[in-house]
């Protein structure tokens, strides 16, 4: 595992002041951590802070919201990005989930304050309050239309809402434990949910009915993802002909991130197991990078990249810290990951550095959403942060 660079969480504020300082560290497995600092020496002629690094660190490009730091000795570089803006007034408490609509205009989020809200993505202004779940709402996401929201709660209910008038149009009941994650099949005539009860269900939105239990794992399913499978993969054959209410399930694979340290792949239409991979700890989240490559994150900080055609050995295991991996999101030709220690980072194939989204300090970053060049994160500190990647 490569070395990891860290920076003081409020570095951008600290370096706004003349002679302001911010600490740095470079941690490499099996070696002593290298500590250093950044000092502001003034302003350049372009109005950008002139920053110097202590011995062992090198400052690259500096903008008002970003700074590129490298540690040549460990051959590692990281660009640290401060939020473009923060929304502090959407919720009163910890924000557990968020999503951004397909057009980028609206956000939806859930909180331990018991509320779920729709807000304007540009300024955080609240547009709608979605009320109807009993207890906490665990997860929320927009349908591809951007006009409808899917949510799952501790009350074991899955609900569909109108983003326009906040009405709850459908409620699905059938799980015996809190719903932990959801997924939408194609345009959304069918949706999926997973639960603490160890099952994943497929639902028919038009008839408000359950189309079947896709998997029964005997262990809580913390996260799911649905994707189109590579043509060479044998997804199995359904034991009985699928209902005509099943739309878009053919050729799809469902990933299940399980509490019992297993990542499972199941043929969505066949309900047949495709693979079972055993990891180092409980799996919290999973996602597709392509029809062949998948990612899954564990409670002990490992991000496994696997090829669905052969899951015996991971392509790579990324480990930046021992904190739980809480969220994984495909982004351009790479991905964004967030962890329980406040780290949130972007990995891209064409960049020779990691991009770190800063300022969450040590509060867990529960979820990440993206729209074009904007990335939104939600955190235990109750703040939604928006990062602008256009200046990269």
């Amino acid at each position: 595992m490569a070395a990891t660079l860290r920076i003081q969480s409020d570095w951008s504020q600290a370096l706004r002041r003349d002679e302001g300082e911010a600490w740095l560290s470079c941690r490499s497995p099996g070696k002593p951590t290298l500590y250093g600092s950044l000092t502001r020496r003034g302003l350049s002629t372009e109005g950008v802070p002139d920053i110097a690094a202590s011995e062992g660190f090198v400052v690259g490009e500096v903008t008002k919201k970003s700074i590129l730091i490298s540690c040549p000795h460990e051959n590692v570089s990281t660009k640290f990005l401060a939020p473009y803006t923060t929304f502090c007034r959407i919720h009163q408490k910890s924000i557990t989930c968020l999503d951004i609509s397909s057009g980028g205009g609206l956000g939806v989020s859930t909180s331990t304050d018991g509320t779920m809200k729709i807000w304007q993505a540009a300024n955080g202004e609240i547009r709608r309050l979605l009320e109807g779940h009993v207890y906490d709402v665990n997860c929320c996401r927009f349908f591809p239309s951007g006009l409808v929201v899917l949510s799952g709660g501790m009350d074991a209910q899955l609900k569909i809402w109108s983003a326009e008038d906040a009405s709850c149009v459908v409620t699905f009941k059938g799980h015996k434990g809190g719903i932990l994650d959801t997924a939408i099949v194609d345009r959304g005539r069918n949706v999926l949910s997973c639960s603490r009860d160890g099952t994943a269900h497929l639902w028919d939105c038009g008839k408000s009915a359950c189309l079947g239990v896709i998997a029964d794992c005997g262990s809580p399913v913390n996260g799911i993802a649905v994707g189109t499978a590579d043509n060479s993969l044998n997804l199995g054959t359904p034991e009985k002909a699928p209902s005509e209410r099943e739309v878009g399930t053919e050729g799809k694979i469902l990933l299940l991130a399980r509490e019992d340290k297993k990542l499972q792949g199941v043929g969505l239409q066949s309900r047949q197991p495709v693979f079972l991979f055993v990891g180092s700890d409980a799996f919290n989240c999973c996602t597709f990078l392509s029809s062949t490559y998948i990612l899954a994150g564990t409670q002990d900080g490992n991000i496994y990249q696997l090829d669905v055609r052969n899951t015996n050995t991971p392509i790579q295991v990324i480990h930046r810290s021992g904190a739980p991996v809480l969220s994984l999101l495909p982004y351009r030709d790479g991905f964004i990951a967030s962890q329980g220690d406040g780290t949130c980072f972007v990995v891209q194939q064409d960049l020779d550095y990691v991009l770190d989204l800063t300022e969450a300090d040590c509060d867990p970053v529960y979820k990440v959403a993206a729209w074009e060049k904007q990335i939104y994160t939600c955190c235990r500190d109750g703040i939604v942060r928006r990062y602008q990647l256009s200046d990269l």
Side-chain angles (χ1 to χ4, degrees), residues 105-328:
L106 294 176
V108 62
S109 54
T110 60
S111 167
T112 54
D113 64 13
T115 66
M116 177 165 49
K117 295 176 181 178
I118 290 175
W119 35 274
Q120 282 181 256
N123 57 16
E125 192 177 301
I126 294 163
R127 296 287 299 273
R128 295 282 181 267
L129 183 60
L130 306 180
E131 294 179 295
H133 278 287
V134 188
Y135 315 122
D136 282 358
V137 189
N138 290 334
C139 46
C140 58
R141 68 171 69 239
F142 281 100
F143 277 73
S145 67
L147 304 173
V148 187
V149 169
L150 179 66
S151 67
M154 285 302 285
D155 56 9
Q157 295 184 44
L158 189 68
K159 287 179 179 283
I160 296 176
W161 310 79
S162 161
E164 295 171 300
D165 65 8
S167 60
C168 176
V169 290
V170 177
T171 298
F172 299 109
K173 294 179 181 178
H175 280 294
K176 295 180 173 64
I179 292 172
L180 300 178
D181 198 10
T182 62
I184 294 172
V185 183
D186 291 350
R187 285 171 50 212
R189 286 172 67 181
N190 292 174
V191 298
L192 291 147
S193 59
C194 67
S195 163
R196 285 185 196 281
D197 66 14
T199 66
H201 290 206
L202 179 70
W203 307 90
D204 172 7
C205 296
K207 288 256 171 86
S208 315
C210 182
L211 289 168
V213 176
I214 306 298
D216 191 345
C217 304
S219 166
V221 183
N222 295 321
I224 51 174
V226 66
T228 303
D230 182 78
N231 292 335
S232 64
L233 206 60
N234 178 13
L235 297 181
T237 311
E239 286 175 8
K240 59 176 196 269
S243 153
E244 75 276 4
R245 302 291 307 176
E246 249 186 66
V247 183
T249 57
E250 193 179 355
K252 302 272 195 327
I253 186 168
L254 181 68
L255 302 181
L256 304 138
R258 296 168 33 166
E259 184 70 23
D260 60 2
K261 304 186 183 181
K262 290 171 183 160
L263 178 73
Q264 187 175 0
V266 177
L268 184 52
Q269 192 179 76
S270 71
R271 326 285 203 251
Q272 304 293 324
V274 176
F275 70 81
L276 192 65
F277 175 81
V278 181
S280 54
D281 204 345
F283 279 99
N284 291 329
C285 50
C286 53
T287 194
F288 284 84
L289 291 178
S290 67
S291 61
T292 49
Y293 298 128
I294 57 174
L295 285 180
T298 60
Q299 187 66 16
D300 61 356
N302 284 327
I303 298 172
Y304 291 90
Q305 185 181 352
L306 301 166
D307 185 327
V308 290
R309 298 165 299 186
N310 179 8
T311 58
N312 294 335
T313 311
I315 296 165
Q316 64 171 334
V317 182
I318 298 163
H319 185 96
R320 295 201 49 181
S321 81
V325 181
L326 301 176
S327 170
L328 288 167

